[in-house]
Amino acid sequence: MNREQISRIAHTDHPIKSPLNDDSVRRLLERGIPRGDERVLDLGCGGGEWLLRALAAHPRLHAEGVDTSEDALAQAREAASDLGVQERLVLHHQDAADFASPHPFDLVLSVGSAHAFGGLLPTLAAARKHLAPGGRVLIGDGLWEGDPSQEAVEMLGNFADLPTTLDLVVADGWTPVHGHVSTRQELDDYEWAWTGSLASWALNHPDHPDSSQALATAAVHRSEWLRVYRNTWGFVSLVLRQTPA
């Protein structure tokens, strides 16, 4: 069982692949889509959950998603067809860092995908290339809410705290117009869903050749969460506009 297969099963009960509940996702999209007829791009869209929710809520909206996973894009196409929004969704199977478009976008999304670009600021640089004048960026990334252990840093990455994260974003030429710091419940719900979905799949398929691997992976992840980073790691989502020069 490869990493992509594990992730797909682990997110069965939490299709937003970040520690955000449905209300938080809805509010962030509302702040990023003020008119309802925007052109939206998701860099690293996965199964397209953010785009599907935006398209379902706004019948005049058009969206495009970019991802390297054929399996995730196939899931997005199927879900779009089920929702009846497939004619307003275009999906691109390629590296998001290499994506080019003939037209700009009113909202560029990249939530939980900063690692694919090499960090928060490189992700914002990629988003800026696609942004229409007056457009917005919706980005979500990790942060430290306490002093992390060296083990946590090596496991998750070298994040900053919230004030420093905002300082970096502002210094890079962006003005935050909305934000959300994931609550303890959102963070815990995400981890319980991740580990629980994977463990349940393993227990429901005891004869599957990957069952023992899935169960072991869930156990290791649960231990790392509880013992290494639960008390220090957090997640922030920001709606940004470019600061006038």
Side-chain angles (χ1 to χ4, degrees), residues 69-150:
S69 170
E70 286 190 60
D71 184 58
L73 294 176
Q75 293 178 56
R77 290 188 186 93
E78 182 178 354
S81 179
D82 291 342
L83 289 170
V85 300
Q86 69 276 13
E87 293 184 358
R88 295 185 285 124
L89 176 64
V90 178
L91 297 171
H92 306 272
H93 178 223
Q94 66 177 101
D95 192 319
D98 299 329
F99 175 70
S101 173
H103 50 254
F105 295 84
D106 304 295
L107 174 65
V108 180
L109 281 154
S110 187
V111 180
S113 301
H115 59 279
F117 296 92
L120 179 63
L121 295 185
T123 305
L124 288 173
R128 183 183 276 115
K129 295 188 299 183
H130 301 289
L131 202 59
R136 303 177 185 213
V137 170
L138 170 49
I139 191 165
D141 198 19
L143 55 80
W144 294 123
E145 294 187 327
D147 293 329
S149 65
Q150 184 60 36

Side-chain angles (χ1 to χ4, degrees), residues 16-242:
I16 292 292
K17 296 183 178 181
S18 297
L20 294 159
N21 63 31
D22 290 339
D23 285 341
S24 297
V25 171
R26 176 183 52 78
R27 286 193 297 269
L28 286 163
L29 285 173
E30 285 176 352
R31 295 303 183 102
I33 305 170
R35 300 192 315 267
D37 63 349
E38 284 85 350
R39 186 182 296 274
V40 179
L41 172 67
D42 190 343
L43 296 171
C45 67
E49 190 66 28
W50 286 88
L51 299 179
L52 294 170
R53 296 188 187 202
L55 288 163
H58 302 286
R60 294 180 295 147
L61 183 142
H62 289 78
E64 298 187 34
V66 188
D67 204 273
T68 57
S69 170
E70 286 190 60
D71 184 58
L73 294 176
Q75 293 178 56
R77 290 188 186 93
E78 182 178 354
S81 179
D82 291 342
L83 289 170
V85 300
Q86 69 276 13
E87 293 184 358
R88 295 185 285 124
L89 176 64
V90 178
L91 297 171
H92 306 272
H93 178 223
Q94 66 177 101
D95 192 319
D98 299 329
F99 175 70
S101 173
H103 50 254
F105 295 84
D106 304 295
L107 174 65
V108 180
L109 281 154
S110 187
V111 180
S113 301
H115 59 279
F117 296 92
L120 179 63
L121 295 185
T123 305
L124 288 173
R128 183 183 276 115
K129 295 188 299 183
H130 301 289
L131 202 59
R136 303 177 185 213
V137 170
L138 170 49
I139 191 165
D141 198 19
L143 55 80
W144 294 123
E145 294 187 327
D147 293 329
S149 65
Q150 184 60 36
E151 185 179 5
V153 173
E154 291 173 357
M155 183 179 296
L156 298 179
N158 192 22
F159 299 106
D161 60 17
L162 181 60
T164 304
T165 299
L166 268 294
D167 287 346
L168 291 169
V169 168
V170 170
D172 195 46
W174 301 93
T175 297
V177 295
H178 182 64
H180 174 77
V181 177
S182 294
T183 64
R184 168 54 57 199
Q185 182 170 345
E186 286 177 304
L187 291 161
D188 283 353
D189 284 351
Y190 176 76
E191 299 288 1
W192 284 122
W194 201 103
T195 57
S197 295
L198 192 57
S200 293
W201 180 89
L203 295 172
N204 291 337
H205 300 83
D207 297 327
H208 194 285
D210 294 324
S211 178
S212 60
Q213 180 193 351
L215 197 60
T217 300
V220 169
H221 187 112
R222 184 172 60 249
S223 179
E224 291 174 344
W225 159 49
L226 293 172
R227 290 181 168 84
V228 179
Y229 63 85
R230 179 176 183 264
N231 294 322
T232 54
W233 189 79
F235 195 84
V236 62
S237 303
L238 300 169
V239 180
L240 308 171
R241 297 179 65 179
Q242 295 191 84

